[in-house]
Amino acid sequence: KLTPLPAPVHLGAIRGRCWRMPERAAFVHGVTTATCIAFWFTSSAACTVSSKETLTLLAPARCATAVTFTQFIVSAAITGLLSLGQPSRLVLTRSVWMDVAFIGATYTAGFVLLNLSLHMLHASFAETVRGLEPIFTAFFARVFAVRGGQVSYLTALSLLTLVAGGCMVCYAQPSLSGNGLVLGLCANLMFSVRSLLVTITQDRMCRIAGCRLDGNAIFFHQHMIGILITLPFFAVGGWDCIRLLRSRAQAIQSLTLSASSFFLYNRLSLAVLMLLNAVAHSVCNALRRAVTIGCAALLFHTTLLPMSAAGVVIIICSSVAYAVSAHADQSQQAAAPSDGALDPIGEDKSLLSPASIGTPPDIRNDDDPKGDTSSWGRPG
């Protein structure tokens, strides 16, 4: 008995079935990335605006430390709850305890200074000052010969334009608080030192143990260290803030939004960093600042003079140029024979790791936002 041959299958149908899966995956990836970026930008703007509103509503009391204390408690609590299924992810080896203590101290000092600056400056200008952080990061990387220590002419030019943009903003705003500006620059200094410490610790662990810091554990412990540091200050001067909170319901709402969005935008920064390559994340981070500055200016009715607006645009464009040129420098160093030069490191991503969202830790390093792999910074 003859068995009938199967009906012929057109080759195009086979190709169509084969192509539909990658196209569907690419579509899902694009939608996921766009959604994460949208919520990242939104939560960042919400954090800055609500923090500024909280500090304004609690005036004349200076509650910057209390706001930071609350943000850290919420971040540590949510991170701990998310890690209940895998508590081992929060464990750090004893060899890095002291390093993590210094990282947590500088991280805490950075956000306390940032909130103090936010109390004295308009929210849009406080975010503009924070955009100058790459200057400090590049300086420390050069002085201590860590990742990004070798700066090309294009990278140096982008840093110089950053300085020029900052000078334009300061010159165009004669009423700009000098103390707020100094506090904001000191916050940048602390964040840059934090990045330097993370880089040094990462490189030492790679040489000795062949592994990297787990970003989820660092994120949790640096907030726990911050809670321990800010608790005495909160115990001494936080009672005035608590009294004002009891009498002002709007301040409670603003503080709740500030703390929750602080955690959310840091975690979404990690998610976007894992979905994009490092340079694309740095570009998105610069655009995030633009969105935050614009939202803060609109909501607080801040007048941006033409020269000030031009300075803000220069700072944002220079940040993008710095990210791209620093990545090019790293690629050239990787292609050249190894001479001990290390990769650059950035600001907002220095405490994030692939382990935080389930990616194998040997795939990418979120502490190296300008590396050549898709790599989480970076709340700030």
Side-chain angles (χ1 to χ4, degrees), residues 169-245:
V169 172
C170 295
Y171 179 79
Q173 299 293 330
S175 60
L176 191 70
S177 171
N179 292 335
L181 177 62
V182 171
L183 288 170
L185 294 175
C186 290
N188 288 344
L189 180 66
M190 290 294 103
F191 288 131
S192 298
V193 172
R194 185 271 313 263
S195 296
L196 175 70
L197 293 174
V198 171
T199 307
I200 294 174
T201 306
Q202 287 276 48
D203 296 338
R204 183 167 56 81
M205 286 190 64
C206 286
R207 287 193 303 267
I208 297 175
C211 61
R212 293 186 179 274
L213 291 172
D214 180 79
N216 192 73
I218 293 291
F219 185 75
F220 174 77
H221 287 286
Q222 72 179 359
H223 286 101
M224 291 301 297
I225 292 170
I227 292 171
L228 294 177
I229 293 175
T230 55
L231 180 59
F233 298 96
F234 178 78
V236 172
W239 300 110
D240 293 337
C241 301
I242 294 176
R243 267 197 307 273
L244 290 172
L245 278 174

Side-chain angles (χ1 to χ4, degrees), residues 87-346:
S88 60
R89 292 170 60 185
L90 301 182
V91 177
L92 289 171
T93 59
R94 183 172 299 181
S95 60
V96 299
W97 284 0
M98 188 59 66
D99 300 289
V100 172
F102 284 114
I103 291 170
T106 53
Y107 178 84
T108 303
F111 273 107
V112 170
L113 291 169
L114 180 64
N115 284 327
L116 286 171
S117 172
L118 190 61
H119 178 73
M120 300 179 184
L121 295 175
H122 293 295
S124 55
F125 294 131
E127 189 67 22
T128 302
V129 172
R130 194 177 178 190
L132 301 175
E133 185 181 334
I135 299 172
F136 296 89
T137 303
F139 172 77
F140 282 118
R142 180 65 178 175
V143 170
F144 291 94
V146 296
R147 302 183 210 174
Q150 297 181 0
V151 179
S152 67
Y153 290 111
L154 290 177
T155 305
L157 180 61
S158 65
L159 293 174
L160 289 176
T161 54
L162 265 176
V163 175
C167 292
M168 289 177 63
V169 172
C170 295
Y171 179 79
Q173 299 293 330
S175 60
L176 191 70
S177 171
N179 292 335
L181 177 62
V182 171
L183 288 170
L185 294 175
C186 290
N188 288 344
L189 180 66
M190 290 294 103
F191 288 131
S192 298
V193 172
R194 185 271 313 263
S195 296
L196 175 70
L197 293 174
V198 171
T199 307
I200 294 174
T201 306
Q202 287 276 48
D203 296 338
R204 183 167 56 81
M205 286 190 64
C206 286
R207 287 193 303 267
I208 297 175
C211 61
R212 293 186 179 274
L213 291 172
D214 180 79
N216 192 73
I218 293 291
F219 185 75
F220 174 77
H221 287 286
Q222 72 179 359
H223 286 101
M224 291 301 297
I225 292 170
I227 292 171
L228 294 177
I229 293 175
T230 55
L231 180 59
F233 298 96
F234 178 78
V236 172
W239 300 110
D240 293 337
C241 301
I242 294 176
R243 267 197 307 273
L244 290 172
L245 278 174
R246 289 177 176 176
S247 60
R248 300 174 184 178
Q250 187 178 355
I252 297 177
Q253 297 175 2
S254 298
L255 182 60
T256 303
L257 179 60
S258 172
S260 57
S261 57
F262 173 83
F263 167 80
L264 188 61
Y265 99 80
N266 277 289
R267 301 300 289 188
L268 285 172
S269 177
L270 166 62
V272 174
L273 187 60
M274 304 301 290
L275 291 168
L276 297 175
N277 61 59
V279 176
H281 183 276
S282 296
V283 173
C284 287
N285 195 44
L287 297 177
R288 176 190 65 83
R289 295 193 188 283
V291 172
T292 302
I293 291 170
C295 291
L298 288 174
L299 292 175
F300 291 107
H301 307 288
T302 304
T303 302
L304 288 177
L305 300 177
M307 181 178 290
S308 180
V312 172
V313 172
I314 289 175
I315 289 175
I316 294 169
C317 293
S318 299
S319 299
V320 174
Y322 172 77
V324 175
S325 59
H327 174 70
D329 294 346
Q330 190 272 340
S331 299
Q332 292 177 0
Q333 293 173 16
S338 178
D339 58 355
L342 298 173
D343 302 330
I345 184 166

